[in-house]
Amino acid sequence: MAGHRVQLFEIDVATLADWRRDGTGYVLVDVREPQELAVCRIEGSLDIPMGEIPGRVEEIPGDRPVIVMCHHGGRSAQVVRWLSARGMDNVVNLRGGIDAWACEIDPTMGRY
């Protein structure tokens, strides 16, 4: 991946699991609400509720891949489109969100 730029719109949970296992440098931004995070979360994520993204966009790095996630992938896809429209070309959506992660990668994780 030249320059650590991500050229995809979304990745699947298996790719994220590979990146975590391989030590690939990335940031995982979780845009769910605090009550959702209380049920389950992926350790190490940067938690910024969707409605707070415009005011906290400076917290999202531009120098490495950024994976945006939510419950099923809808809100995070909106955030990816919003960030991309503002010139961030390093952001992708996690297809299926935390629910897909719980189903396919970590079945011990709480679901809602």
Side-chain angles (χ1 to χ4, degrees):
M1 195 179 294
H4 296 288
R5 293 293 179 194
V6 177
Q7 301 300 322
L8 316 167
F9 175 68
E10 61 182 15
I11 66 169
D12 59 25
V13 294
T15 300
L16 175 57
D18 288 344
W19 285 16
R20 290 175 68 82
R21 186 175 38 259
D22 298 344
T24 301
Y26 68 92
V27 172
L28 180 62
V29 177
D30 193 328
V31 299
R32 296 176 302 138
E33 297 297 319
Q35 64 271 20
E36 294 176 283
L37 294 169
V39 175
C40 59
R41 67 185 296 272
I42 296 176
E43 190 64 37
S45 63
L46 173 60
D47 304 326
I48 307 175
M50 182 177 177
E52 295 179 19
I53 292 289
R56 296 177 61 188
V57 71
E58 71 283 348
E59 295 177 40
I60 301 171
D63 63 345
R64 63 197 140 180
V66 173
I67 303 164
V68 184
M69 64 171 280
C70 65
H71 189 200
H72 288 113
R75 286 174 284 175
S76 52
Q78 291 176 4
V79 170
V80 167
R81 282 192 293 275
W82 188 87
L83 292 169
S84 295
R86 279 143 190 86
M88 292 190 77
D89 61 357
N90 63 320
V91 295
V92 295
N93 184 43
L94 182 63
R95 184 181 321 123
I98 192 99
D99 193 61
W101 181 267
C103 290
E104 298 175 34
I105 307 299
D106 185 359
T108 66
M109 179 177 274
R111 293 182 62 209
Y112 60 99

